Amino acid sequence: MKINTKLIHAGLHADPSTGAIMTPIYQTSSYAQKALGAEAKYYYGRTQNPTRDALQQNLAAIENAQHCYCFSSGMAAIDTVMRLLNPEDEVLVNNDLYGGTYRILKNVFLRYGIKFHFIDMREPANILPFINKNTKMLWLESPTNPMLNIMDIEAIGKITKAHNIFFCIDNTFASPYLQQPLDLGATIVVHSITKYLGGHSDVVMGAVLCNNDELAEQMRFLQGAVGAIPGPQDCFLTLRGIKTLHVRMERHCENAAAVAQFLRQHNKVAKVYWPGFKDHPNHAIAVRQMSDFGGMVSFTLKEDTVEAAAKVLARVKIFTLAESLGGVESLIGHPPTTTHFSVPRAERIKVGIVDSMIRLSVGIEDIDDLLEDLEYALG
Ligand SMILES: *Cc1c(COP(=O)(O)O)cnc(C)c1O
């Protein structure tokens, strides 16, 4: 089955009691048992829920995974993966990372005696000097936030396989529609469903997917034992959102391409970051491992100040100043003072996040209106 069909049908069945086409919202904390000690599929709402099951099966099919477990947020999903580690384990992490992930590694898991090495993985060979007998996991995002750097997933997968290291990818920015990392050698895929998968800015949720039965059993155990589960209503909303992932992503990509080209020729703009440009450093890798270039575009201004960026943010009318990304509506943000505020200024400038950097999550509105909005805002 092709992905466009899987998004709508995979893992889903008409409700056996009524024939309802849409998966019902099983809003229950417990299930009646036939007799003491009798085998049942459902016992208690933390460990099993039919709406959640349907979503997990649907997501697994889309990512070409055998197993999927959903959590109450993207961070809860990441937290669960990190719980696979033991004190003294070492983790290789790409140095261009979602702020919340950086925070949980530094402020939570470092205290548990786990060591993290932050590495520029745009060149896969950079990883090699950091591998030792304690190296247990490699954590990667591609494309990254907000620089939209691209990592070679297949090449890194060969290295992790040779050294028996779990290879985890946060696939939030690409979504399974544009990139399927398990097919390229990843062991575990993590999503913030809050973004493109949910797609309508109305759900906070996360997922972990893998093909390894033993890891899946640990995930299943942690999901029930730790208990950071999503509610059935949110599972329903996500199932509904996923049904249009393909049409949304196509429009996100098309609009982002037009916005990137527009910004690049604008006389107030210094640099535009978007993996679709032929001169993007890892453009060829993006072409190989992604089916399109995604809906995110970042850019900097010739007048490189926070004030100049603030002026643009204040003048937009359709783009909304807000955190998050991946919804149908266009959002605009300023990484230096928000998501990357805790990174020391010198560090952030070194990786390219200068004072005037603006990040766009390009929505699926009419492109003419989006370009007009940016033209006016750049004034
Ligand atoms: C938003 C985000 C997360 C965290 O997900 P939440 O659903 O907000 O907890 C993790 N990784 C990336 C890349 C994200 O964009």
Side-chain angles (χ1 to χ4, degrees):
M1 207 188 274
K2 300 268 178 61
I3 188 161
N4 291 355
T5 312
K6 282 190 203 172
L7 290 165
I8 295 164
H9 295 291
L12 307 178
H13 312 280
D15 177 46
S17 61
T18 62
I21 290 186
M22 292 306 298
T23 309
I25 303 167
Y26 286 89
Q27 193 77 48
T28 186
S29 61
S30 194
Y31 307 87
Q33 303 298 306
K34 289 218 165 65
L36 195 62
E39 270 296 307
K41 192 164 175 205
Y42 298 103
Y43 297 96
Y44 184 59
R46 172 156 34 76
T47 41
Q48 304 101 352
N49 178 282
T51 317
R52 194 169 90 211
D53 281 354
L55 172 60
Q56 290 176 165
Q57 282 161 25
N58 182 251
L59 276 169
I62 297 163
E63 271 292 359
N64 295 334
Q66 296 295 321
H67 310 281
C68 172
Y69 297 97
C70 286
F71 297 88
S72 53
S73 68
M75 289 318 302
I78 292 170
D79 173 77
T80 304
V81 174
M82 291 298 159
R83 285 170 196 266
L84 296 171
L85 299 166
N86 291 308
E88 294 182 19
D89 282 347
E90 297 192 14
V91 185
L92 314 176
V93 189
N94 82 291
N95 66 353
D96 182 6
L97 198 63
Y98 174 70
T101 307
Y102 183 77
R103 185 173 53 208
I104 201 174
L105 301 186
K106 286 286 239 194
N107 297 347
V108 179
F109 287 99
L110 198 62
R111 284 198 280 117
Y112 297 163
I114 297 160
K115 198 166 165 187
F116 299 97
H117 301 277
F118 296 92
I119 305 164
D120 181 349
M121 297 188 183
R122 280 175 293 181
E123 184 46 67
N126 288 351
I127 298 162
L128 296 170
F130 293 92
I131 297 177
N132 62 43
K133 63 175 180 17
N134 292 333
T135 311
K136 184 81 169 282
M137 182 185 284
L138 184 144
W139 188 279
L140 184 72
E141 290 170 21
S142 180
T144 62
N145 174 35
M147 293 305 296
L148 300 167
N149 284 320
I150 301 287
M151 269 28 92
D152 188 336
I153 297 172
E154 210 166 0
I156 292 170
K158 285 192 179 125
I159 296 173
T160 53
K161 191 161 183 223
H163 293 87
N164 209 11
I165 298 167
F166 295 152
F167 179 12
C168 306
I169 297 197
D170 181 336
N171 201 28
T172 301
F173 265 46
S175 90
Y177 185 69
L178 300 180
Q179 175 171 283
Q180 295 167 337
L182 295 174
D183 293 347
L184 299 169
T187 328
I188 294 175
V189 164
V190 170
H191 277 286
S192 169
I193 285 175
T194 316
K195 315 297 168 53
Y196 287 107
L197 280 164
H200 297 74
S201 307
D202 51 10
V203 170
V204 174
M205 203 192 293
V208 177
L209 301 107
C210 69
N211 278 322
N212 177 316
D213 296 346
E214 208 176 301
L215 284 178
E217 180 48 32
Q218 292 184 55
M219 292 300 165
R220 189 198 61 75
F221 170 77
L222 287 167
Q223 186 192 43
V226 178
I229 51 150
Q233 174 98 25
D234 283 354
C235 293
F236 171 85
L237 282 172
T238 302
L239 276 167
R240 177 180 161 131
I242 287 174
K243 286 182 195 293
T244 55
L245 182 70
H246 50 325
V247 283
R248 285 187 285 111
M249 289 315 291
E250 274 169 23
R251 181 63 69 82
H252 280 299
C253 292
E254 189 185 309
N255 282 356
V259 164
Q261 309 285 3
F262 164 82
L263 289 171
R264 193 172 227 196
Q265 54 73 43
H266 199 283
N267 62 9
K268 297 262 172 79
V269 171
K271 280 190 182 153
V272 184
Y273 299 92
W274 176 63
F277 288 132
K278 291 210 165 51
D279 57 358
H280 179 286
N282 279 348
H283 174 73
I285 296 164
V287 168
R288 208 165 61 224
Q289 71 191 16
M290 301 173 75
S291 59
D292 207 333
F293 305 110
M296 302 300 296
V297 178
S298 298
F299 66 102
T300 63
L301 302 172
K302 284 187 183 146
E303 189 189 339
D304 183 31
T305 62
V306 173
E307 292 71 31
K311 219 184 280 172
V312 176
L313 302 183
R315 283 168 67 92
V316 284
K317 293 196 170 76
I318 294 174
F319 280 87
T320 304
L321 173 59
E323 281 189 37
S324 197
L325 60 113
V328 290
E329 63 287 304
S330 292
L331 300 183
I332 190 164
H334 185 242
T337 54
T338 56
T339 51
H340 288 68
F341 185 64
S342 57
V343 183
R345 185 167 178 270
E347 291 268 307
R348 106 177 126 63
I349 287 175
K350 213 162 57 186
V351 298
I353 308 171
V354 298
D355 291 341
S356 68
M357 171 160 275
I358 292 172
R359 188 193 79 173
L360 303 177
S361 170
V362 181
I364 64 171
E365 300 95 336
D366 192 286
I367 188 61
D368 292 344
D369 292 327
L370 295 182
L371 296 184
E372 193 180 300
D373 198 33
L374 290 171
E375 176 73 62
Y376 174 79
L378 285 163

